[in-house]
Amino acid sequence: MVTAFRVPISVGGRHPTRPWIHVPVVLFLLAAPVVAQPSDIGYEPLVDALHDAVLTGDPAAYLALVSADADVDVATAFATERFRAEVDRLTITPRFQTPLEDIPEGDGYRIMAELFFESGSRGRLETWQLDVIRTDEPGWRIHAQSQVDSIDGLYDLTLTPTTQYAANNLAVTGEDLSLTMREGTAFVSETEDGVTGLVLLGQGVLRFTPQPESEQGQVRILSGSNTLETEFETAFVRMHPDMFRSRVSTVLQNQPVNPRLLSDAQAVFDRHVPLSFTLNLSDISDRVWSLQPAVGDFLAEIDTERHGLLTYTQSSQQPEDISLFERETNRIIALYSSAQKRATRGRYFGDDDSLSLDVVDYDVTAAIEPLGYRQERLSAVRELIGCRIAGTTRLALRAKTLPVARFSLRLADELTVTSVTSNEFGPLLFYRMNGQNNLIVDLPTEIPGGTEFTVSVSYEGVLASQELDENWIGIERFYFEAQGFFGLGEPRYLYSNRSYWYPQALVADYATATLNLSAPPGWGIVASGSPVDTNPPVAGTADTERREFSFVTLQPTRYLATLISQFDQHEAPVHHVSLETPELRPSPAGETGGVYYDTLSVDAYGSRRSVGVIDSTAQRAADIASFYASLLGDLPYPSMTVTLTDSRLPGGHSPAYFALLNHELPRQPGLIISWRTDPVSFSGYSPFFLAHEVAHQWWGQAVGWKNYHEQWLSEGLAQYFAALYAEHDAGPQVFHDIVEQMREWAIRHSSEGPVYLGYRLGHLEGEPRIFRALVYNKGAMVLHMLRGLIGDEAFFAGLRQFYHEWRFQKAGTDALQLAFEIEAGRSLSRFFDRWIHESELPHLQFSTSPDPADDDTTVLRFEQLTDRLFDLPVTVDLEYRSGETVSVVVPVTDRVSEMRIQTVGPVRRVLVNQDERALAQIDR
């Protein structure tokens, strides 16, 4: 039996909407109800006696608590080393206990205990392992002891009340940041190492000038200038004492303490100290305990009149270590790598570069209980509550190159962890990070790099269903206000990449998995993985017992997803896709990870309202998959399930092994809705959205993306492949119409930032259409231009090389660029720099003239008018008086690019960029 004592942790000071965005850590340890108290077993008097012995620093008193058959020399050495006479206060909290082996039941336990020492303004947190046994006289005694872990260097920070400094013309600097006080005062907070906190009061000016051009663009959106300059009256700064002289521009000058100003500074200090670098042991201490910032870490909280509270951080351990955001709104203004990181690492990085562990395999067992709707008392609006999930997940883990003593997993805050155990290490200490969907696990001993081990996490709670990643939302707010205008559909619950419905790696990464999921009678489950043969029908039946579903992912997946709904029965058969181009695979097959399949099974399920189109949807999905397989020479997964569930909004989501599409609910008569206001609504070709979602099985799933900057590799490629399928299925005119719309939206919003900015596009304006216009549509147009520039043969060969090299791995733009460069035999650095990493569009001047040396030759001339040179293809159509049209693609790669065309008769007119391929302004 394992008795767990749970201590949740909350981390603040970190941007809450994006888990990969970090600022200096704020830890709050909050006591939670324990499963069992020492008094339940009877060793509470021993804990009290231990407390007194440690508090007084008396090794002899400790030895009196040791059992007669214990190793006295070891106990003496432990007490001599760990006991400190200067302790003012001590709290001992048993964390969890396990029975000792070879001891009669109930007579021996291994206890993990947390001890917090307070000595003046210093604090220390230690974890001890104690083996205790029941003796005849005088009761419980300590048989063995060791220290497992400790956190030292905790401070109860205070403002120095006896010292006030003049802050006139004082400047505090961070990289690309300056806080300049025209006039004012300063108060400091110190440790024995020096000043670590600074409060500024008075009239100051904040200047933030990020060096990266893309970040300047975001600042320009916010403030109208590349530099954010705003006045402030108060600021709070934290840093390591060794950095104080380099960050503060002048020697502080003493002045008499003004009680009113001291009170104002204290209020600023009290408000900001808990937000960062803080370990709050509120269950065992009434003081706020702070960690010393690491050398290189810097934080400033600036209270501005125009933008509210702005938080600037430089966090040396993060790949993008500089950030500026609004605390109240959580809007990210800037997030980028420092000059040193840019110089030493370059622009490309992976989310998991700094992670200490790799998850190799998941084994998820969960009972899922839908809870139905919540209805407001006086409203027709009904909202899904979510599902109760009770599960246990076993993770197979491998330590990377460095030793590991503590690691973190991602798990939804709403799910309460009841135990964490390991086959190799037994019960493990764990902490929760409230508000951060995190779980921290301590190992009893540091393990070397390369070690493989397992961890099992048990959890339960009610979790809301997530919204779809990809919604066509032209007028989002309207739909939430107009629910009464729609019919009521079957409830559906999706748990996927943003739900954290099972314990998982901090960032999405590839692993195999087994899922064993159960649902109540009448409910069906679709999930990542191939369904096993013993599964019940997905469509609900008159079952009276819970329905058990199992899925196996032999192919590695980036994340696991499941969909729970009430599906209707249908007669549509399973469709099978055969790979017709296996010769496009690399040789020998299988070198790049995963296994290769020659067939794909496509099944489909839907709600009662959508069951009539299930078969046609499955047929279409199979045809789409067959087309993609012919281009890439691969079927990444052996099965795919397409589901149609009821929703007010069109939308979709495509985890590995299945695709979810919304089936729009019927509207009340007279309710007219147009989706033409959204960049990804291609009304002229209705299967486009399905084609996009199916493409994600290759782009986004089989080949992942390293960080949020690289999401265009998923969305842009899926968008372009959907356009290619539209051309294959419906012809060149439909393809042209789609490209025309993509181009229109890309040009309209390119000034909002580069494709590489990812989800942050439109973030400051709260406008998701900007993200879709650029990451989806401009990303697809960049690929279309590259195809025109290097030719079809090199383009599709480069795609195949990129795909197979990075199959079941996470890639970056540099990898895609390299694959195309190999096939094209030329550098494409400038192409990707301009089109992915920058936002400017080219301006061209086009002209034609006869060749003086040959009357039958026409010279096509393009001159680039922008300062920076672009690489792009421009199609020129020559219409002859005979009615014949000849099209040529001119590669525009220099300041002046010319092409000579042999004409075959009188030319009626010359048209430029009629195929809408070039994202450029072209003047005649």
Side-chain angles (χ1 to χ4, degrees):
M1 178 187 72
V2 177
T3 303
F5 298 87
R6 297 171 289 136
V7 180
I9 292 183
S10 171
V11 173
R14 177 180 293 184
H15 191 275
T17 62
R18 295 287 167 180
W20 53 87
I21 297 171
H22 299 271
V23 299
V25 172
V26 188
L27 300 175
F28 296 91
L29 265 76
L30 307 173
V34 297
V35 175
Q37 296 287 352
S39 57
D40 298 337
I41 297 171
Y43 57 71
E44 189 175 27
L46 175 64
V47 174
D48 292 340
L50 174 64
H51 172 275
D52 295 340
V54 178
L55 182 61
T56 57
D58 187 354
Y62 176 77
L63 293 176
L65 305 177
V66 172
S67 64
D69 57 348
D71 190 323
V72 177
D73 292 337
V74 172
T76 300
F78 177 82
T80 302
E81 179 182 359
R82 303 314 314 161
F83 289 17
R84 302 179 185 182
E86 71 275 13
V87 177
D88 300 328
R89 181 180 174 185
L90 170 68
T91 303
I92 301 179
T93 307
R95 294 288 297 279
F96 63 69
Q97 62 198 25
T98 56
L100 289 174
E101 297 181 0
D102 302 324
I103 299 292
E105 183 176 355
D107 286 346
Y109 293 93
R110 173 161 293 170
I111 303 169
M112 302 298 285
E114 184 180 84
L115 292 83
F116 185 64
F117 303 82
E118 298 181 37
S119 304
S121 63
R122 293 290 304 269
R124 185 175 78 259
L125 185 66
E126 295 187 2
T127 301
W128 289 6
Q129 178 178 291
L130 303 172
D131 289 355
V132 301
I133 59 175
R134 192 193 305 269
T135 61
D136 293 335
E137 186 66 35
W140 289 93
R141 284 293 178 262
I142 298 170
H143 183 69
Q145 62 284 304
S146 63
Q147 179 191 329
V148 176
D149 202 358
S150 67
I151 300 176
D152 207 347
L154 302 177
Y155 297 91
D156 175 24
L157 293 180
T158 58
L159 278 185
T160 304
T162 58
T163 309
Q164 178 179 316
Y165 299 97
N168 300 339
N169 300 316
L170 179 143
V172 180
T173 59
E175 184 166 335
D176 300 338
L177 173 84
S178 68
L179 304 176
T180 304
M181 299 296 295
R182 290 195 289 263
E183 60 179 356
T185 57
F187 292 85
V188 298
S189 177
E190 300 175 90
T191 68
E192 68 271 17
D193 297 321
V195 176
T196 185
L198 182 68
V199 175
L200 301 176
L201 304 174
Q203 297 179 14
V205 175
L206 175 154
R207 286 180 58 87
F208 177 66
T209 309
Q211 293 305 304
E213 188 175 304
S214 60
E215 302 301 331
Q216 292 177 10
Q218 296 303 292
V219 169
R220 190 163 57 248
I221 290 171
L222 179 74
S223 67
S225 170
N226 291 349
T227 296
L228 173 62
E229 184 169 316
T230 184
E231 296 185 350
F232 69 90
E233 293 185 351
T234 68
F236 174 70
V237 179
R238 282 295 309 276
M239 68 195 82
H240 190 280
D242 290 348
M243 297 177 61
F244 183 78
R245 289 186 179 180
S246 63
R247 297 290 190 180
V248 179
S249 65
T250 185
V251 176
L252 296 175
Q253 300 294 322
N254 282 287
Q255 61 181 201
V257 175
N258 181 313
R260 180 183 62 81
L261 292 178
L262 174 61
S263 176
D264 292 345
Q266 188 67 52
V268 173
F269 183 84
D270 292 343
R271 183 167 70 251
H272 292 302
V273 162
L275 298 179
S276 57
F277 303 107
T278 303
L279 184 71
N280 182 352
L281 303 169
S282 58
D283 62 314
I284 54 179
S285 177
D286 56 2
R287 303 156 80 179
V288 176
W289 294 94
S290 295
L291 297 164
Q292 189 96 283
V295 174
D297 286 354
F298 177 82
L299 175 139
E301 305 272 13
I302 311 104
D303 202 352
T304 71
E305 181 176 348
R306 182 178 179 186
H307 301 288
L309 180 59
L310 296 181
T311 301
Y312 169 93
T313 72
Q314 185 163 1
S315 305
S316 58
Q317 298 302 310
Q318 303 306 320
E320 293 193 306
D321 49 335
I322 295 177
S323 68
L324 180 71
F325 65 92
E326 295 178 345
R327 270 206 183 269
E328 184 175 352
T329 63
N330 295 321
R331 292 197 305 171
I332 301 171
I333 300 168
L335 176 67
Y336 58 98
S337 300
S338 60
Q340 180 181 10
K341 286 184 183 290
R342 296 197 302 271
T344 57
R345 185 202 61 208
R347 61 164 53 119
Y348 297 107
F349 65 92
D351 281 336
D352 52 0
D353 288 347
S354 60
L355 297 185
S356 59
L357 287 176
D358 181 34
V359 180
V360 179
D361 182 75
Y362 295 96
D363 189 337
V364 180
T365 299
I368 304 175
E369 193 79 26
L371 298 179
Y373 287 96
R374 176 191 296 111
Q375 182 166 351
E376 296 182 15
R377 184 176 180 183
L378 300 177
S379 171
V381 175
R382 298 211 294 175
E383 176 186 1
L384 285 173
I385 298 172
C387 293
R388 179 172 297 281
I389 299 176
T392 297
T393 295
R394 179 197 58 78
L395 303 92
L397 302 165
R398 181 192 300 118
K400 292 186 176 181
T401 56
L402 298 177
V404 176
R406 175 184 294 127
F407 61 92
S408 296
L409 299 172
R410 188 76 71 199
L411 183 67
D413 286 328
E414 294 87 344
L415 300 177
T416 300
V417 177
T418 56
S419 70
V420 180
T421 62
S422 169
N423 289 342
E424 295 78 10
F425 303 113
L428 299 176
L429 295 174
F430 62 90
Y431 313 84
R432 291 309 311 268
M433 299 174 68
N434 295 334
Q436 292 297 303
N437 300 313
N438 268 30
L439 171 68
I440 300 176
V441 180
D442 271 1
L443 296 174
T445 184
E446 187 176 75
I447 61 173
T451 302
E452 296 184 357
F453 63 103
T454 61
V455 169
S456 294
V457 181
S458 296
Y459 49 95
E460 61 182 357
V462 176
L463 187 62
S465 172
Q466 78 171 57
E467 295 297 325
L468 301 191
D469 279 349
E470 297 179 326
N471 273 335
W472 291 1
I473 310 177
I475 38 178
E476 296 96 327
R477 187 175 301 172
F478 167 80
Y479 281 93
F480 292 97
E481 295 173 351
Q483 296 178 66
F485 290 100
F486 295 85
L488 188 64
E490 298 290 348
R492 65 104 189 273
Y493 304 87
L494 173 67
Y495 298 101
S496 188
N497 57 324
R498 291 186 288 107
S499 295
Y500 311 125
W501 63 282
Y502 63 97
Q504 57 196 267
L506 289 180
V507 296
D509 198 7
Y510 286 96
T512 56
T514 301
L515 291 84
N516 298 289
L517 309 174
S518 67
W523 292 83
I525 293 180
V526 175
S528 299
S530 295
V532 303
D533 294 339
T534 56
N535 281 1
V538 173
T541 62
D543 298 333
T544 58
E545 297 181 352
R546 293 189 64 84
R547 314 182 77 220
E548 308 283 342
F549 297 86
S550 296
F551 306 85
V552 178
T553 67
L554 295 178
Q555 296 286 60
T557 57
R558 289 178 55 234
Y559 55 85
L560 303 174
T562 185
L563 171 68
I564 302 94
S565 189
Q566 293 177 317
F567 299 99
D568 205 53
Q569 298 188 37
H570 63 85
E571 302 299 326
V574 175
H575 297 265
H576 298 282
V577 176
S578 296
L579 181 64
E580 303 296 337
T581 55
E583 68 277 4
L584 298 179
R585 292 172 176 167
S587 182
E591 262 188 2
T592 57
V595 297
Y596 281 93
Y597 296 99
D598 292 325
T599 60
L600 168 71
S601 300
V602 180
D603 205 352
Y605 297 95
S607 63
R608 177 178 54 84
R609 284 191 173 89
S610 62
V611 72
V613 296
I614 284 296
D615 189 39
S616 60
T617 301
Q619 288 181 4
R620 174 71 73 175
D623 186 61
I624 294 168
S626 179
F627 174 70
Y628 296 158
S630 72
L631 294 179
L632 296 172
D634 188 44
L635 292 164
Y637 303 104
S639 64
M640 179 176 66
T641 301
V642 179
T643 62
L644 296 173
T645 59
D646 298 331
S647 177
R648 300 185 304 277
L649 296 171
H653 182 58
S654 189
Y657 289 88
F658 78 92
L660 164 63
L661 275 86
N662 285 345
H663 188 262
E664 289 185 75
L665 290 166
R667 305 163 189 164
Q668 295 294 334
L671 181 61
I672 301 174
I673 299 172
S674 172
W675 300 108
R676 295 179 62 85
T677 58
D678 198 278
V680 297
S681 173
F682 299 95
S683 57
Y685 186 69
S686 58
F688 186 93
F689 205 38
L690 175 61
H692 177 98
E693 296 303 331
V694 172
H696 275 313
Q697 297 296 301
W698 285 261
W699 304 116
Q701 296 304 335
V703 176
W705 32 284
K706 283 180 151 184
N707 59 59
Y708 74 91
H709 291 292
E710 308 287 6
Q711 192 175 355
W712 84 276
L713 294 177
S714 169
E715 301 300 351
L717 278 161
Q719 196 80 334
Y720 191 56
F721 264 53
L724 292 175
Y725 174 75
E727 182 181 36
H728 165 79
D729 177 59
Q733 184 58 50
V734 169
F735 179 76
H736 175 273
D737 294 344
I738 290 171
V739 168
E740 181 181 28
Q741 182 174 327
M742 288 180 176
R743 180 179 185 273
E744 177 187 345
W745 279 98
I747 289 178
R748 182 185 303 178
H749 290 294
S750 279
S751 62
E752 300 286 343
V755 170
Y756 201 66
L757 207 60
Y759 81 91
R760 291 175 55 206
L761 291 162
H763 175 71
L764 286 174
E765 300 98 315
E767 178 49 85
R769 288 181 296 184
I770 296 174
F771 168 73
R772 294 196 286 275
L774 299 180
V775 172
Y776 285 62
N777 287 351
K778 186 177 180 182
M781 288 301 300
V782 169
L783 295 166
H784 192 44
M785 286 190 294
L786 181 61
R787 178 185 172 189
L789 199 63
I790 66 176
D792 280 11
E793 182 177 352
F795 178 77
F796 287 105
L799 277 182
R800 286 191 292 271
Q801 177 172 322
F802 171 70
Y803 173 83
H804 286 283
E805 181 178 353
W806 290 91
R807 192 171 181 259
F808 302 119
Q809 299 176 78
K810 296 191 293 185
T813 300
D814 53 339
L816 182 67
Q817 175 183 324
L818 178 61
F820 283 126
E821 287 178 337
I822 291 172
E823 295 300 328
R826 52 170 288 193
S827 171
L828 295 170
S829 293
R830 188 168 67 189
F831 178 88
F832 281 94
D833 283 346
R834 296 291 181 268
W835 294 111
I836 298 301
H837 296 284
E838 298 173 7
S839 57
E840 185 180 19
L841 295 178
H843 183 190
L844 309 179
Q845 180 77 45
F846 172 70
S847 62
T848 63
S849 63
D851 188 337
D854 185 353
D855 292 341
D856 294 330
T857 299
T858 297
V859 179
L860 309 178
R861 184 180 189 274
F862 288 92
E863 180 182 358
Q864 299 200 42
L865 304 180
T866 44
D867 292 336
R868 295 175 179 174
L869 293 181
F870 286 76
D871 296 324
L872 71 160
V874 183
T875 302
V876 178
D877 298 321
L878 285 78
E879 289 188 1
Y880 292 96
R881 291 179 183 175
S882 63
E884 180 184 4
T885 299
V886 175
S887 298
V888 296
V889 177
V890 181
V892 178
T893 58
D894 295 311
R895 179 65 64 188
V896 175
S897 300
E898 293 184 344
M899 176 178 285
R900 284 164 170 75
I901 301 297
Q902 191 75 28
T903 56
V904 294
V907 177
R908 175 185 300 164
R909 60 176 178 170
V910 178
L911 302 175
V912 184
N913 203 31
Q914 292 300 293
D915 61 358
E916 308 284 352
R917 185 191 295 266
L919 292 178
Q921 177 185 338
I922 305 176
D923 298 335
R924 292 292 298 266

